[in-house]
Amino acid sequence: MNGLTESYMLFFLSGFHFLLPLEWIGRVSAADEADPELPEAVLTGLPEGQDSRPYMVTVECGERKAGIRAEGITGLVRVLKEQIWELPGEVKSQMNRYISAMALLDGTEGGRILAYVLEPAGFQTALRDERGVD
């Protein structure tokens, strides 16, 4: 991994930190300014509460797009391959299918942050192209 493939956006949602590879991010906007036609990716198992999720992150895979709500955008981080641990098959389930790995990051004041690496292919709402075709 190098360059863009090591770059992630770190964001906060429902008490958890998530990493989304920068190469998949189309834009970040206020949730109320997002395209109303944009299908929303539902991260199954996380508590609801969209009122406290003021940001919408547009994920793009080719021409396919979906939005993910976020409570806070922490920033851009570089995560090296050595910091990432793939989830073993034994812990994967339907509930966490959107998580491909986890990473332990340096936090503030000498602390550490456990962040989950998202895999767009696992989102409950399929990424759809601009014509709405699956």
Side-chain angles (χ1 to χ4, degrees):
M1 295 175 133
N2 59 39
L4 188 59
T5 59
E6 292 178 343
S7 299
Y8 293 82
M9 182 183 74
L10 179 64
F11 69 96
F12 189 75
L13 175 62
S14 297
F16 298 95
H17 288 92
F18 293 96
L19 290 166
L20 188 59
L22 196 56
E23 62 192 299
W24 293 334
I25 298 173
R27 68 180 284 217
V28 176
S29 62
D32 59 355
E33 295 175 6
D35 178 359
E37 300 296 317
L38 183 68
E40 192 171 326
V42 178
L43 303 182
T44 307
L46 293 180
E48 296 296 324
Q50 296 178 350
D51 292 343
S52 65
R53 300 173 180 179
Y55 302 101
M56 181 67 76
V57 179
T58 302
V59 178
E60 297 181 355
C61 291
E63 291 190 24
R64 299 161 70 95
K65 298 179 183 182
I68 301 175
R69 290 184 181 266
E71 290 172 31
I73 308 294
T74 306
L76 301 179
V77 295
R78 183 173 182 218
V79 182
L80 301 175
K81 187 176 183 176
E82 299 80 36
Q83 292 174 273
I84 297 176
W85 293 280
E86 296 295 320
L87 285 183
E90 299 83 27
V91 299
K92 290 193 175 195
S93 71
Q94 188 66 10
M95 293 293 286
N96 67 8
R97 67 188 174 279
Y98 49 85
I99 299 173
S100 64
M102 54 190 174
L104 194 57
L105 308 174
D106 292 329
T108 58
E109 301 175 21
R112 307 284 270 177
I113 296 171
L114 178 64
Y116 297 99
V117 180
L118 294 180
E119 172 61 52
F123 293 154
Q124 181 179 13
T125 301
L127 292 172
R128 298 180 185 171
D129 69 14
E130 293 170 350
R131 295 178 311 272
V133 179
D134 287 335

